[in-house]
Amino acid sequence: MASAAWGEQHKELFASGRITYEPQDFFEPQPEGLKPGVFVLWRILHNWPKDACHKILKNLRSAATPETKLIIIDPILPLACADDSSADGATLAPKGSPLLPNLGKANAGGYYFSLTMLALMDGKDGTLHEYTELADAAGWRVERVVRAEGSLVGYMTCVPV
């Protein structure tokens, strides 16, 4: 499906082999011989419990080369209270702002949605700290965090450690 959607616009990338789409089962080791430049997990981790997320990330790490990047695109819940140890991207409020880090009631919907997912599917949106811990435990380090302006969704670029 993905190559059909992108194929017409970027035929040269597919023809050269720079981009390939590989069907896969996250819970099985990745195929031997891959030399992936990047893995992209788009709204995947928030659907699964922590142990399943660890297995997904560990399987990808096993297939990664030292140059492979992992891009995780998921909602990143901002902290509700100030935390001076937080990395950039952990809060939505500008540095030095008197606003709550999660901007208060304006973002309550993200927390409600996460609680619903937890109750129904045993998955949940995580804070940057939670995603970082998960990545670290599977052999990845979060190197960069970028948030979509006005949204809880962001992407984290991870590198193998």
Side-chain angles (χ1 to χ4, degrees):
M1 181 173 160
S3 55
W6 275 41
E8 290 303 312
Q9 293 177 352
H10 302 287
K11 286 181 189 177
E12 72 285 356
L13 295 175
F14 292 97
S16 70
R18 286 189 61 205
I19 294 179
T20 60
Y21 290 99
E22 301 290 333
Q24 59 192 357
D25 180 344
F26 291 130
F27 301 108
E28 298 296 324
Q30 300 303 295
E32 298 268 334
L34 289 180
K35 296 199 183 315
V38 65
F39 289 117
V40 179
L41 295 177
W42 183 59
R43 298 183 71 93
I44 300 293
L45 296 182
H46 76 148
N47 292 322
W48 297 96
K50 188 176 180 177
D51 59 333
C53 291
H54 183 264
K55 187 168 188 172
I56 291 168
L57 294 176
K58 200 76 168 154
N59 282 336
L60 295 178
R61 178 60 185 97
S62 294
T65 70
E67 293 79 33
T68 301
K69 304 278 190 207
L70 167 65
I71 299 177
I72 301 169
I73 305 163
D74 257 316
I76 305 170
L77 290 177
L79 300 171
C81 300
D83 178 356
D84 293 334
S85 68
S86 297
D88 286 342
T91 70
L92 295 178
K95 268 199 185 318
S97 170
L99 298 172
L100 290 171
N102 67 354
L103 303 180
K105 180 72 172 157
N107 283 314
Y111 297 95
Y112 298 147
F113 181 72
S114 187
L115 283 172
T116 302
M117 287 180 58
L118 184 60
L120 297 177
M121 301 176 358
D122 200 19
K124 69 182 196 76
D125 296 331
T127 63
L128 180 56
H129 179 73
E130 290 169 322
Y131 284 121
T132 300
E133 277 184 346
L134 193 58
D136 288 347
W140 296 96
R141 178 176 50 83
V142 175
E143 185 176 70
R144 183 172 181 229
V145 179
V146 176
R147 287 182 177 275
E149 190 173 325
S151 171
L152 294 179
V153 176
Y155 72 86
M156 296 157 275
T157 304
C158 304
V159 295
V161 289

